[in-house]
Amino acid sequence: MTQNAADGVATDRAGSQPVTVFFDGGCPMCRREIAHYRRLQGAERLDWRDIHADPDALSDAGISWQKAMERLHVRDGNGALRTGAYAFVTLWRELPGYRWLARMVSAIPGVVWAMDRVYTVFARWRWRRRCRDGVCGAP
């Protein structure tokens, strides 16, 4: 999937569906971060899906449970699926307190791409830790 830093949800988006955040609710670190976002203004407009509890949440997009668990996924208001740092930028654009950050990282060419590379390394490390905890086997 090719992604571009300018992609994502505009503040006044014309999308016909709510932005959906797919996260690993079985991961303590992920749970804390998502809980933070869910307490923020605007979070009530988003659809929050725990893929640990709902293994088939991304099957309609052709994404296996394991692939879904390996990275953050966000479906924007137009139905496009974003992963990694691109998913975070899409999420941040929906939260008034984080819109400034989404604008800032998107305004400088290559920043979101670099963030995604760092996120990829982190996500691999996180998934290996989850595997050590016995989570890797599909439910």
Side-chain angles (χ1 to χ4, degrees), residues 85-98:
Y86 299 93
F88 278 101
V89 172
T90 301
L91 169 60
W92 296 340
R93 284 186 176 141
E94 294 298 314
L95 302 171
Y98 277 86

Side-chain angles (χ1 to χ4, degrees), residues 46-130:
L46 282 71
D47 183 10
W48 302 91
R49 300 280 181 93
D50 177 355
I51 57 176
H52 182 76
D54 180 7
D56 296 324
L58 281 166
S59 63
D60 66 329
I63 298 173
S64 70
W65 178 80
Q66 180 171 332
K67 287 295 178 193
M69 292 284 283
E70 289 175 359
R71 294 173 63 88
L72 178 71
H73 290 73
V74 173
R75 182 173 285 137
D76 71 18
N78 296 315
L81 199 58
R82 310 282 178 223
T83 66
Y86 299 93
F88 278 101
V89 172
T90 301
L91 169 60
W92 296 340
R93 284 186 176 141
E94 294 298 314
L95 302 171
Y98 277 86
R99 284 186 186 138
W100 68 271
L101 181 58
R103 281 192 301 270
M104 184 180 76
V105 300
S106 297
I108 305 167
V111 170
V112 180
W113 178 87
M115 287 171 45
D116 194 59
R117 295 309 167 265
V118 172
Y119 176 83
T120 297
V121 171
F122 166 77
R124 285 185 188 137
W125 170 82
R126 185 195 75 84
W127 184 243
R128 282 193 301 267
R129 282 189 65 202
R130 296 283 284 140

